[in-house]
Amino acid sequence: MATQDSEWIFVDTVDALDEEDFMRFDHGGETYILYKVKGEMFATDGLCTHEAQHLEDGVLIGHIIECPLHQGRFDIRSGKCAGGPVCEHLNTYRVKIEGDKLFIEL
Amino acid sequence: MSPSSLPQAKILPATTAASSNVSLERQLVRNLAQRSDRPALLWLASWLTALAVSGYLLYLTTATSSTLLFLAAALLLGSILTVPSYAISHECAHGTAFRTRWLNETCLWIGSLLYFEEPYHRRYSHTRHHTYTWHVGKDSQMPFDTPMTLKGWLLEISGIALVIYETKVFARNALGKFSPQTRGFTPENTLGKLKWGARACILIYATLIILLVRGETWVWTYLLLPRLLGGPVMLLFTLLQHVELKENSPSILESTRSFTTSAIGRWLYMNMNNHIEHHLYPQVPFYALDKLRQAVENQVPPPDKGFWRTNLEVLSVVVRRSLGMGTKARGLRQAAHMVVSAAEAKKGKTSPFAHKTTL
């Protein structure tokens, strides 16, 4: 979540993500996922809140990201759990595009 | 920052493709893992049709005086009822059968009730089975002693072990007295779902028993008897998943078995004979497992040959083990420590138990 101390961190160029695509981004000892769905960009924590499996190998179903290990589901717009076995929400982050560059607010 | 420099404490050493040194292109796995309702709806329609046809055959035998024909028809209905109930329950516990969530959850309940396990317990205990596949003390789904003996085989295949274990789980969970194991794999704020799920299941089972006691014989003829007779067929399928393989290995290739079977077997079992492939990439739904098998076949052991042949090999091994004979199988893939040569057996050598169940 953005705080007063948050800053915009450069991730990649916008063409790194195709439509209905997602990518991993590591920064400051933490790991995140950026998504592009229906032209909109989203970002969440990278690790599933259930057993810390990385979501980069998961399945994107509309606005739902599904964990590859136990198939726990989260809505990438809100980070909220969308199906067991997960029961803790993911943190979400703001994303912006400047020119052809993609930034995440951390 | 490279992944290896991330805080490792956050990443559990789950038994996956990565821990098994198997890799596929990420985009290929994502493509294989895509979801659709259509394949599972078609499978569901074929299952319901097969149930109706085999149920009608059983009905026809009730008009004859042949007990043998009646039992054969009950076994047929039971196999068609029970193997798929396990398979759909398993697939829906993963949430991979259907793209639409409520279809998954509905079929999870129906399949689990027929299989005889509370649906939420089924889902959560299975998560731990994937996290620590065949790890003694960690895997929550190791239902028999390893190495297996004839006594263990009989308890497992008869369904007695399953009924005793799950009855205890139903009772404990319905009372809210969860075992340490259940607490270990269930998030604290989800235990209530297990409690009320167990109570709902007990209510449904009790209703069936009351109906039976009040003279509704269809409950016995078309449900309980077929379920009892079909149980061993289902358990012969599930037995092959890990029996005679290595405990406590990070590699799925050492702990898990795939086997070949007929088109009917693959349909009954929803392609879960590709069990190594399923454990490597559990996000891939049942209808894409054949494609996944083709994609990884040069990285995994060849499947054991045939459902019946593999089961006969297992039975032969457990009988010989119980008789103090050599346990090397001809075609069955076995972990090294499962094998005692005939010469070693004559000298009294046995494989020590790696895992003991408590019934």
Side-chain angles (χ1 to χ4, degrees):
Chain A
M1 293 293 171
T3 67
Q4 282 188 329
D5 298 328
S6 64
E7 58 178 320
W8 288 98
I9 308 295
F10 171 69
V11 177
D12 209 327
T13 53
V14 287
D15 57 8
L17 272 176
D18 294 327
E19 187 56 42
E20 311 298 318
D21 195 9
F22 56 110
M23 63 183 278
R24 172 177 178 156
F25 175 64
D26 296 333
H27 178 80
E30 300 294 335
T31 184
Y32 309 92
I33 300 275
L34 283 90
Y35 313 82
K36 185 177 182 183
V37 177
K38 294 179 182 172
E40 276 193 277
M41 310 292 290
F42 304 93
T44 69
D45 287 334
L47 299 180
C48 178
T49 57
H50 176 229
E51 286 191 358
Q53 191 72 15
H54 210 292
L55 296 169
E56 67 174 331
D57 293 317
V59 186
L60 188 61
I61 307 167
H63 288 98
I64 301 294
I65 182 70
E66 184 186 275
C67 176
L69 183 59
H70 300 130
Q71 290 71 56
R73 292 179 169 199
F74 304 92
D75 189 320
I76 61 172
R77 293 168 293 190
S78 62
K80 288 189 174 173
C81 305
V86 296
C87 54
E88 281 182 43
H89 306 321
L90 283 177
N91 290 318
T92 56
Y93 304 90
R94 292 203 297 168
V95 180
K96 73 174 182 182
I97 297 169
E98 281 186 2
D100 65 345
K101 291 177 180 168
L102 184 59
F103 294 85
I104 182 172
E105 189 179 30
L106 299 174
Chain B
M1 160 173 263
S2 70
S4 60
S5 59
L6 287 168
Q8 290 301 301
K10 284 189 174 179
I11 302 173
L12 297 176
T15 43
T16 61
S19 72
S20 309
N21 293 317
V22 171
S23 66
L24 288 175
E25 282 185 26
R26 180 162 289 126
Q27 194 54 49
L28 173 63
V29 178
R30 285 184 184 176
N31 291 342
L32 290 170
Q34 289 306 304
R35 301 295 155 71
S36 163
D37 287 336
R38 186 180 152 82
L41 285 173
L42 287 172
W43 180 88
L44 196 60
S46 68
W47 184 34
L48 294 174
T49 304
L51 284 173
V53 170
S54 56
Y56 184 64
L57 283 176
L58 180 59
Y59 167 74
L60 291 178
T61 66
T62 58
T64 72
S65 56
S66 171
T67 306
L68 196 63
L69 267 182
F70 172 74
L71 288 175
L75 175 62
L76 177 67
L77 172 60
S79 301
I80 293 171
L81 178 73
T82 312
V83 182
S85 73
Y86 164 85
I88 190 72
S89 161
H90 168 259
E91 191 75 17
C92 291
H94 279 283
T96 45
F98 298 93
R99 182 182 173 94
T100 305
R101 193 67 180 178
W102 70 264
L103 284 170
N104 266 296
E105 298 308 286
T106 304
C107 288
L108 170 66
W109 268 88
I110 294 168
S112 300
L113 278 164
L114 290 167
Y115 172 66
F116 197 56
E117 183 169 2
E118 189 277 310
Y120 297 119
H121 183 269
R122 175 120 181 83
R123 172 168 285 151
Y124 281 94
S125 66
H126 197 62
T127 64
R128 190 50 53 91
H129 174 60
H130 273 269
T131 307
Y132 299 118
T133 301
W134 224 235
H135 276 62
V136 176
K138 292 183 176 176
D139 185 344
S140 51
Q141 293 184 332
M142 291 185 79
F144 48 80
D145 297 349
T146 67
M148 184 174 241
T149 60
L150 181 59
K151 180 186 168 192
W153 187 90
L154 288 169
L155 283 170
E156 176 66 11
I157 298 304
S158 64
I160 291 171
L162 174 74
V163 169
I164 292 174
Y165 176 77
E166 293 299 343
T167 301
K168 284 182 184 173
V169 172
F170 274 122
R172 291 187 73 134
N173 289 4
L175 293 169
K177 295 184 175 178
F178 304 102
S179 69
Q181 187 188 53
T182 299
R183 287 186 181 279
F185 57 66
T186 311
E188 185 71 27
N189 61 3
T190 311
L191 287 168
K193 282 173 110 175
L194 269 69
K195 181 166 75 175
W196 285 102
R199 290 174 178 180
C201 290
I202 289 170
L203 184 65
I204 292 167
Y205 294 138
T207 304
L208 288 172
I209 290 169
I210 290 167
L211 284 171
L212 185 61
V213 170
R214 293 183 62 170
E216 299 286 346
T217 55
W218 63 267
V219 175
W220 171 254
T221 306
Y222 296 101
L223 194 57
L224 289 182
L225 177 65
R227 172 63 185 82
L228 287 173
L229 293 177
V233 183
M234 170 191 75
L235 292 160
L236 287 172
F237 273 94
T238 57
L239 176 70
L240 299 185
Q241 296 173 353
H242 306 284
V243 70
E244 292 294 310
L245 292 171
K246 189 175 180 182
E247 308 88 351
N248 308 323
S249 170
S251 174
I252 296 298
L253 312 187
E254 294 182 326
S255 66
T256 307
R257 171 182 294 104
S258 291
F259 60 95
T260 60
T261 185
S262 65
I264 293 173
R266 294 197 300 275
W267 171 75
L268 285 170
Y269 200 29
M270 297 181 84
N271 295 326
M272 210 41 66
N273 54 302
N274 299 303
H275 211 64
I276 290 177
E277 293 78 3
H278 166 65
H279 270 270
L280 292 173
Y281 295 102
Q283 68 268 51
V284 174
F286 76 98
Y287 48 83
L289 280 177
D290 275 337
K291 284 183 182 167
L292 176 61
R293 177 181 53 75
Q294 290 165 23
V296 296
E297 68 182 349
N298 61 352
Q299 300 182 62
V300 303
D304 285 24
K305 301 286 184 206
F307 168 76
W308 292 110
R309 180 174 154 182
T310 308
N311 263 296
L312 283 172
E313 290 248 32
V314 171
L315 181 57
S316 170
V317 164
V318 300
V319 167
R320 282 185 276 133
R321 181 174 290 128
S322 295
L323 294 174
M325 300 165 67
T327 57
K328 174 80 180 113
R330 272 185 291 183
L332 182 75
R333 201 158 62 86
Q334 288 175 289
H337 72 284
M338 295 286 175
V339 178
V340 174
S341 71
E344 290 171 328
K346 275 186 182 172
K347 292 176 187 170
K349 182 181 174 185
T350 56
S351 299
F353 282 107
H355 171 61
K356 291 281 281 181
T357 53
T358 50
L359 280 180

